[in-house]
Amino acid sequence: MIRRLAAGAAVLALATGLSACIIVSSEGGSRTVVTSDAAMATPSNTALYADAVADPRRPAEEVARDALRHPAEIMAFAQLAPGDKVADIRPGAGYFTRLFSDVVGPTGRVYAFVPERTMARENAGADALAAAYPNVTRVNGLLDSMSFAEPLDMIFMSQEYHDFHIPGFNTDVARMNAAAFAALKPGGRYILIDHQAAPGTGISAVQTLHRIEGDYLKREVQAAGFVYEGESTAVANPADDHSLNVFDEKIRGRTDQFVYRFRKPG
């Protein structure tokens, strides 16, 4: 109960903060803060985010990461709502899958998408999530031809996009973005979180540092037809100089990360 009340207070503080500016547009390497009413969570959704964060079913090791991952802010920026149909790409241990499940509720659906390349080691985790949360379904497929049983409101990818440029994943990223576009409803959101690379480096550090330049990613996604709407700075870290591998203990868990929201027109 104490944990739930504390989480609720934190998310209500977030709701107050959302009345200011959460979106950042990035053009030509500069960042300008832009106010956007569309980015703000409704009071009822804010309460749902608080309940999801405070859900006692969440593993303690995931709760311990909340201070760094800012899940309530991320869900508000993603405009997650009850009834949404969502794909969580490579859900891993289910950090966001659990939260999404609570918010979308019984009329929503969370598809835990595990790529065929990694399903031998990742299907068990996705199946455990599906067993614990009735509105979660595990899906396997190729990233560059992903498809789902119904049109989606949101596709979410956290700290994964850069990996799909690594040759071992054998993924055509342009086709992956096109598949994501096709899988979304008109007006659907494509939410991407990743580790920022140094300006001008493009995809050259995806395997060595596990980072990708945000502006490069943005151009790739826009080429698939998506409209860029803005960026949350919830997990940004200006102290990160983008020179270290993200698994280096000097920066692990505290990297400078961008959170972009793209929308399928319609």
Side-chain angles (χ1 to χ4, degrees), residues 39-50:
M40 300 179 189
T42 66
S44 59
N45 286 352
T46 298
L48 288 174
Y49 304 152

Side-chain angles (χ1 to χ4, degrees), residues 9-59:
V11 179
L12 287 174
L14 162 66
T16 303
L18 285 173
S19 65
C21 300
I22 186 172
I23 306 299
V24 177
S25 68
S26 178
E27 300 295 340
S30 63
R31 291 181 175 182
T32 306
V33 177
V34 179
T35 301
S36 173
D37 291 339
M40 300 179 189
T42 66
S44 59
N45 286 352
T46 298
L48 288 174
Y49 304 152
D51 284 344
V53 170
D55 188 336
R57 294 175 295 175
R58 298 182 66 213

